[in-house]
Each structure stands twice: as C-alpha cells, then as structure tokens.
Amino acid sequence: MEFFCGTSHKDLGEMICKRLSIDPSPMKSQFGGTGDEVDSTCKETHVEIGRSVRGREVFLLQTGSPTDVNNAIMELLIMAYSCKTASAARIIAVIPYLPYSKQSKMRKRGSIPAKLVAKLLAKSGVDHLVTMDLHTKEIQGFFDFPVDNLRSSSFLIKYIQEIPNYQNSVIVARRPESMKRATSFAERLKLNIAVIHIDQSKEADIDREDGRCSPPPSSCSHEGLASRRSTSGEYVRRRTVSESASATASDETGGH
C-alpha cells in the first residue's frame, strides 16, 4: 500500500500516518514551473511521485483547501493520473471535503460543477472515493465508481456532549431543507430545535430567473407566427379538399 498526502492538509496526513504506523510515500509538488526551479511566470502545477507504484494499491489524501481550492483539485488530478500512468493496481482518493459539492444543482443559466469534478476524477484514474458528509446524497450518482460517504454525526455528538451545560443549547436548522438532519441531532442529544424560514418570494425569483420562463427568441416575431399559422391553415384546407374529392370519387364508383 502507498499513501500519498497532498499539500492541502499536511497535518491531517501526518495524523493518519501516525495512527496507521506508516510513513507517507514520497512525493514532490510545485505550483509554478515544471522543472527543478520554480518559474514565477508559469502557474502550472507539477507533481512528481518519488516511488514506484506498479501493481500497488494507492491512497491519495487531498481535501478542499479553504485558501486555494482550484490548486488542490488540480494537484489531486495530476497525482491520480501519475499513479495511473505508473501502472498502479488501484487508486483510492480520500477527500474529507469534496470541492464544488455544493454546486450540485442548476442555477439560472449556469451548470453543475459537482458533476464536472466527478468526471474529472474518473478520467484521471480514480477507482474509489472516500469522502464525508456530502452536501446531498444524490451527488454520489455523478460518479462512475464506488463512493463511500462517511458520516461525522457521531463525532459531532460526542464533541457537543463534552461541552459544559450543553443541555441548555438549541439545535438550529439554518434552512427548512436541513430540518430533518437537525431533528436527528436534537433527538439524540435530547435538545430543542429551531428552524429559520427564508422568504419564499426570493426562491420564486430564482425560479423565474433560471431561464425556464424566458421569452421566445427575437426571431420568433409576430409576423413569423402569423406566417406559420397561415401556412398551417393552407395545409389544412388543401387536405380537406383532397379528402372531399376522394370521397366524391368513391361515391361515383360505388365504393369500389
């Protein structure tokens, strides 16, 4: 087994290696330049694996960095692709916080970046994903390989129970959509629950701005609609005349 740690959270990587009693596999990352010296004018990411991974099971640890999430994603993709081209038997990405997981729905005239990240991970060579508390469970359907969506609720509950006088607290659901999860915490901790309701008119405005209620294109003018209607009407009249002529001819021949 090989365990490579990205630069997004080195302390977490050291803690995991210490817990497993292993040493992290050697790897070197550079942000800016592709040689031994860093070029300040080049913003490319360079990753070099320092050990053979042929036929080995590889774990890649990387999380969504709060300072530079895009560099963290690119570093992970290059790490996975480097192991894939080095003939690794299996590549498992450990991403505690999956970047772009909150962008899992279509908004206005945008896109779904969460699915794009899933496709990039699959193309880079990742065979399995281990993550925690995805924004929505449906995100797992974006991936073409198995996903382990771990839960942190048991650790959070244990942490809350260690707070003095936590019984005087209230579990607050920031939005009605999160009420189910907040209720689960409140029942396990035996606390009260509060829900913050948002203005529904704002949601309606978002729905009106997402493109589904857009006006027809400018090319679809009233003249164009009238032209299509007249053409359709002419076709109906011609069909009616044709059917009448056929019926008359049939009557004259005695139905033969």
Side-chain angles (χ1 to χ4, degrees):
M1 182 188 75
E2 300 292 341
F3 187 85
F4 293 97
C5 302
T7 58
S8 61
H9 204 318
K10 293 184 177 180
D11 294 339
L12 177 61
E14 293 176 357
M15 293 173 60
I16 294 176
C17 290
K18 183 177 180 180
R19 186 69 178 268
L20 297 176
S21 300
I22 61 174
D23 294 326
S25 302
M27 187 193 72
K28 182 173 65 174
S29 297
Q30 291 181 353
F31 300 96
T34 56
D36 296 333
E37 298 182 359
V38 177
D39 183 4
S40 60
T41 62
C42 180
K43 302 301 181 181
E44 296 180 357
T45 301
H46 176 67
V47 176
E48 182 179 346
I49 302 298
R51 181 181 298 171
S52 175
V53 296
R54 181 179 296 273
R56 307 295 297 275
E57 189 176 50
V58 178
F59 287 83
L60 306 177
L61 175 64
Q62 186 80 304
T63 188
S65 173
T67 56
D68 199 344
V69 62
N70 293 326
N71 270 343
I73 291 177
M74 199 63 205
E75 182 185 18
L76 174 62
L77 294 175
I78 298 177
M79 289 166 60
Y81 191 65
S82 299
C83 294
K84 177 183 178 181
T85 55
S87 302
R90 192 175 179 216
I91 302 174
I92 303 170
V94 182
I95 313 175
Y97 176 70
L98 182 65
Y100 291 91
S101 60
K102 290 187 176 181
Q103 299 190 49
S104 58
K105 293 182 179 180
M106 180 75 72
R107 292 295 184 185
K108 297 184 179 180
R109 301 183 187 275
S111 59
I112 307 178
K115 184 173 182 179
L116 174 61
V117 172
K119 295 298 182 182
L120 289 173
L121 289 173
K123 289 295 184 181
S124 66
V126 175
D127 301 309
H128 198 127
L129 172 64
V130 180
T131 185
M132 296 187 67
D133 292 324
L134 288 174
H135 185 59
T136 56
K137 295 181 180 180
E138 292 76 9
I139 296 177
Q140 299 178 67
F142 294 160
F143 295 87
D144 299 329
F145 47 78
V147 177
D148 287 332
N149 182 26
L150 306 181
R151 294 295 182 185
S152 61
S153 57
S154 58
F155 301 99
L156 292 175
I157 289 175
K158 184 178 179 180
Y159 175 79
I160 294 174
Q161 290 175 340
E162 294 177 356
I163 300 176
N165 300 323
Y166 79 92
Q167 295 85 352
N168 299 327
S169 306
V170 176
I171 302 296
V172 180
R174 192 175 63 174
R175 301 186 57 154
E177 292 81 0
S178 59
M179 184 176 64
K180 183 177 180 180
R181 187 176 183 185
T183 302
S184 175
F185 277 92
E187 290 178 351
R188 295 167 70 177
L189 292 169
K190 297 181 180 180
L191 299 176
N192 294 325
I193 184 174
V195 181
I196 299 177
H197 291 272
I198 63 174
D199 188 2
Q200 298 296 330
S201 62
K202 295 182 179 180
E203 294 291 334
D205 292 339
I206 293 175
D207 291 337
R208 283 195 294 268
E209 294 174 0
D210 66 355
R212 290 179 292 178
C213 299
S214 299
S218 58
S219 59
C220 297
S221 59
H222 294 289
E223 292 78 4
L225 292 174
S227 176
R228 285 197 295 270
R229 288 172 181 171
S230 61
T231 304
S232 177
E234 182 65 24
Y235 170 75
V236 172
R237 285 195 295 272
R238 290 180 181 178
R239 182 176 179 181
T240 304
V241 171
S242 177
E243 291 177 351
S244 300
S246 298
T248 303
S250 178
D251 293 339
E252 291 176 355
T253 58
H256 299 289

